[in-house]
Amino acid sequence: MTDNRKEQERAELHRTIWNIANDLRGSVDGWDFKQYVLGMLFYRYISENLSAYINDGEHATGDMAFNYAVLADADAEEARADLVATKGFFILPSELFENVRKRAATDENLNETLESVFKDIEASAQGTDSEANFKGLFDDIDVNSNKLGGTVAKRNERLVKLMNGIADMKLGNYKDNTIDAFGDAYEFLMSMYAGNAGKSGGEYYTPQEVSELLTRITLVGKNQVNKVYDPACGSGSLLLNFAKILGKENVRQGFYGQEINITTYNLCRINMFLHDVDFDRFDIGHGDTLTDPLHWDDEPFEAIVSNPPYSIKWDGDANTLLINDPRFSPAGVLAPKSKADMAFIMHSLSWLATSGTAAIVCFPGILYRSGAEQKIRKYLVDNNYVDCIIQLPDNLFFGTSIATCIMVLRKGKSENSTLFIDASREFVKITNSNKLTDRNIDNIVRIYKNREADSSYDARLVPNAVVAEQGYNLSVSTYVEQEDTREVVDIKVLNAEIGRIVAREDVLRREINAIIAEIEGGSDNE
């Protein structure tokens, strides 16, 4: 299918989402609206996912007329145990999205019907291997909320509109759609609200282009990884770029992450399902990664990507246990209590496999500030863990115009040096923000891969001894000279020109004085 056709499908999908937004506008604000749409989108997805799985199995045996959606609930119950074991969940035919939607307009208790369905889906996974990945997934879709309307009738009226809008999304067969439509709808919603508000519900959104750059950097020299990890995974968009770029099958053990915000944690798990990642292929934890990490006992990760929260407060040295934590103790000092950035970097390094690569977005301050952060940089450089620092353009991220950087960590480096790349000019301007194009990303990855500059102004490979001499300053500008685009001026030529201008000015002044004198003389004679 042509790219043009894909773009037409994507544009149509986005228009449908906007139409739903307009139907609900005024009663549900942006963040809550997103919750309802994503929750209902997820409900439709798993309904179609399960139906397609069952129907395909029956059709393969020769029963081409079989349709799970019209099967009696009692007959469907016979397959519950097997389906939960393979798919991780179970939905009765009467509780499928398409069947609830057919009855929605005439169901005076639609809110109660949906509440019951959501509870039944979650309960189907209880006591099984998939329980953790389904528990609480519908918690943020409050079908009884006054935000939907002041009366049950008003709430149900909007729920009908919501279900119809989701049903009208032309997503096709979820296995066959050309644009990963369920996942694309999710990404569009996230970017739509991040773009409007800078952040949504406490979650900073990483633009897809930056996410792709991080992914491609960690994959240099690799065509598969054991698993990918994000210690502050948000809605999971960075993790899922590996499915898009590398292919799910080449992330052998799946997708791992941790998120402290409960709402965003739920969205991340929903996002995994919407991108057709099965329950046994992801492990997303809820909690504070720095003080309560949930993947202690796991095999180290060959790929780590992250855009952790910038300069947030954390326990630091107020928690006496942390200085002895094996993630932080090697540096001999903890990140400042007011700025946890270096704690996330040390955590990621600890979780990183010897053959792995970590690419982490960071604010520039941690690259040059003194104190504890300088001591942590000393540890990283002296042990040759910093592979590369990339200076990104400003105004790339929603909610901040600051020019961020990427710190690339590796444990298995062959040379005792650090690559510094100035990519501050690698962007195109779109309205009020900047954006990385495919060409920009290709340029950055190529320089990183080759470990040499295209010109003296793009990059520099610096021996770590030189970095030490600079007080372990890791700012790109310390090592990569910004190209001077000012016009070169010959001072002798300039002085001669100034002389000519002064002489000409003197002539003009005498001529003007003569004219004035003549005028004044004429006036005296009258």
Side-chain angles (χ1 to χ4, degrees):
M1 180 170 287
T2 66
D3 289 340
N4 188 46
R5 171 73 182 278
K6 288 183 181 180
E7 288 307 314
Q8 287 176 350
E9 288 186 1
R10 183 173 281 113
E12 183 174 356
L13 179 63
H14 294 175
R15 277 196 300 273
T16 306
I17 294 173
W18 270 115
N19 290 338
I20 301 172
N22 288 330
D23 277 344
L24 295 181
R25 197 179 303 280
S27 60
V28 182
D29 69 22
W31 176 248
D32 289 313
F33 162 73
K34 183 172 63 177
Q35 302 291 93
Y36 284 107
V37 174
L38 288 173
M40 202 62 75
L41 188 69
F42 173 61
Y43 175 33
R44 176 184 164 182
Y45 169 81
I46 59 174
S47 293
E48 293 183 8
N49 181 297
L50 187 69
S51 294
Y53 177 78
I54 298 170
N55 290 344
D56 288 348
E58 292 296 325
H59 296 167
T61 65
D63 186 0
M64 302 305 294
F66 183 86
N67 181 3
Y68 183 69
V70 300
L71 196 66
D73 285 355
D75 294 334
E77 281 287 357
E78 298 174 12
R80 178 186 286 268
D82 286 341
L83 286 168
V84 170
T86 54
K87 299 300 292 181
F89 65 99
F90 179 75
I91 307 175
L92 288 166
S94 66
E95 295 187 330
L96 292 170
F97 174 87
E98 64 175 283
N99 287 331
V100 173
R101 186 240 175 169
K102 285 176 184 175
R103 303 187 300 265
T106 57
D107 185 353
E108 294 180 357
N109 301 307
L110 179 60
N111 58 327
E112 294 178 9
T113 299
L114 287 169
E115 187 174 37
S116 175
V117 169
F118 296 160
K119 286 180 179 177
D120 287 348
I121 294 172
E122 184 177 327
S124 72
Q126 285 179 0
T128 73
D129 293 340
S130 61
E131 179 176 359
N133 285 339
F134 277 88
K135 187 174 183 180
L137 277 181
F138 293 101
D139 282 358
D140 291 309
I141 311 157
D142 185 359
V143 293
N144 297 305
S145 172
N146 286 332
K147 293 176 181 177
L148 283 174
T151 65
V152 171
K154 284 288 185 185
R155 291 197 281 274
N156 286 344
E157 180 183 332
R158 289 201 169 95
L159 287 171
V160 170
K161 286 184 176 181
L162 178 61
M163 293 197 78
N164 287 339
I166 296 296
D168 288 342
M169 288 186 185
K170 292 180 171 55
L171 301 174
N173 183 317
Y174 75 94
K175 285 186 177 178
D176 298 333
N177 69 68
T178 60
I179 59 168
D180 186 19
F182 280 100
D184 188 76
Y186 181 98
E187 297 298 340
F188 176 69
L189 277 161
M190 297 300 288
S191 62
M192 184 169 78
Y193 285 105
N196 288 343
K199 65 174 183 173
S200 287
E203 176 203 2
Y204 285 92
Y205 183 79
T206 308
Q208 274 297 313
E209 298 78 24
V210 177
S211 180
E212 180 178 339
L213 175 59
L214 294 171
T215 302
R216 288 185 56 188
I217 286 171
T218 64
L219 291 177
V220 167
K222 298 182 177 72
N223 53 27
Q224 60 174 283
V225 294
N226 64 342
K227 49 191 177 175
V228 58
Y229 172 69
D230 184 344
C233 62
S235 62
S237 62
L238 270 67
L239 293 172
L240 286 163
N241 253 286
F242 284 81
K244 188 181 300 181
I245 294 172
L246 197 59
K248 289 193 293 284
E249 68 281 0
N250 291 316
V251 183
R252 298 190 305 275
Q253 298 172 39
F255 306 82
Y256 291 70
Q258 186 164 343
E259 172 55 39
I260 194 169
N261 181 296
I262 183 68
T263 296
T264 314
Y265 160 68
N266 287 337
L267 289 177
C268 183
R269 291 183 296 156
I270 287 176
N271 200 11
M272 290 290 153
F273 285 113
L274 291 178
H275 283 82
D276 203 25
V277 178
D278 290 334
F279 77 93
D280 57 349
R281 297 275 293 149
F282 69 86
D283 182 349
I284 308 298
H286 175 237
D288 187 332
T289 303
L290 298 180
T291 57
D292 185 24
L294 300 178
H295 299 97
W296 271 113
D297 301 322
D298 286 20
E299 174 187 321
F301 299 89
E302 289 179 348
I304 296 178
V305 287
S306 192
N307 178 17
Y310 305 133
S311 298
I312 61 166
K313 295 178 181 179
W314 77 305
D315 290 355
D317 57 17
N319 183 337
T320 55
L321 298 177
L322 289 176
I323 192 58
N324 296 314
D325 188 308
R327 295 171 297 161
F328 309 124
S329 59
V333 66
L334 295 169
K337 284 186 288 188
S338 61
K339 300 177 180 67
D341 310 67
M342 277 297 188
F344 280 104
I345 287 170
M346 288 296 293
H347 168 86
S348 296
L349 178 68
S350 178
W351 258 226
L352 186 63
T354 303
S355 60
T357 304
I360 304 163
V361 176
C362 53
F363 258 38
I366 69 166
L367 302 178
Y368 59 78
R369 285 192 294 249
S370 58
E373 290 174 315
Q374 183 182 36
K375 292 177 182 177
I376 295 173
R377 292 197 306 272
K378 180 180 189 303
Y379 165 77
L380 294 173
V381 173
D382 286 350
N383 286 278
N384 200 26
Y385 291 140
V386 183
D387 189 39
C388 181
I389 303 292
I390 302 169
Q391 176 65 61
L392 294 175
D394 60 11
N395 216 21
L396 278 184
F397 288 79
F398 302 114
T400 179
S401 61
I402 295 176
T404 56
C405 304
I406 296 174
M407 182 181 290
V408 184
L409 302 173
R410 284 179 60 221
K411 290 181 175 177
K413 291 171 61 182
S414 59
E415 76 216 345
N416 197 28
S417 56
T418 301
L419 179 66
F420 293 87
I421 300 175
D422 179 6
S424 60
R425 292 166 294 172
E426 291 285 355
F427 69 91
V428 295
K429 191 166 186 62
I430 297 178
T431 60
N432 294 323
S433 60
N434 296 329
K435 182 177 180 179
L436 297 175
T437 65
D438 289 344
R439 183 177 179 180
N440 296 141
I441 294 170
D442 288 343
N443 288 342
I444 297 169
V445 173
R446 184 183 67 252
I447 294 173
Y448 170 73
K449 185 176 181 179
N450 294 338
R451 296 190 76 72
E452 61 185 28
D454 286 355
S455 77
S456 60
Y457 301 109
D458 288 329
R460 184 181 169 198
L461 190 61
V462 180
N464 286 339
V466 174
V467 177
E469 290 171 4
Q470 293 290 336
Y472 298 95
N473 187 326
L474 291 176
S475 297
V476 172
S477 60
T478 302
Y479 308 97
V480 183
E481 181 185 0
Q482 280 277 357
E483 182 177 5
D484 191 345
T485 57
R486 293 174 298 180
E487 183 181 354
V488 177
V489 177
D490 186 323
I491 192 66
K492 290 182 178 179
V493 173
L494 179 62
N495 282 335
E497 180 64 23
I498 291 173
R500 284 193 297 272
I501 291 171
V502 171
R504 178 61 178 156
E505 182 183 20
D506 188 51
V507 170
L508 289 172
R509 191 176 300 280
R510 287 199 302 271
E511 291 177 350
I512 291 170
N513 288 340
I515 293 170
I516 293 172
E518 184 178 340
I519 293 172
E520 289 176 344
S523 298
D524 291 342
N525 294 330
E526 290 178 358

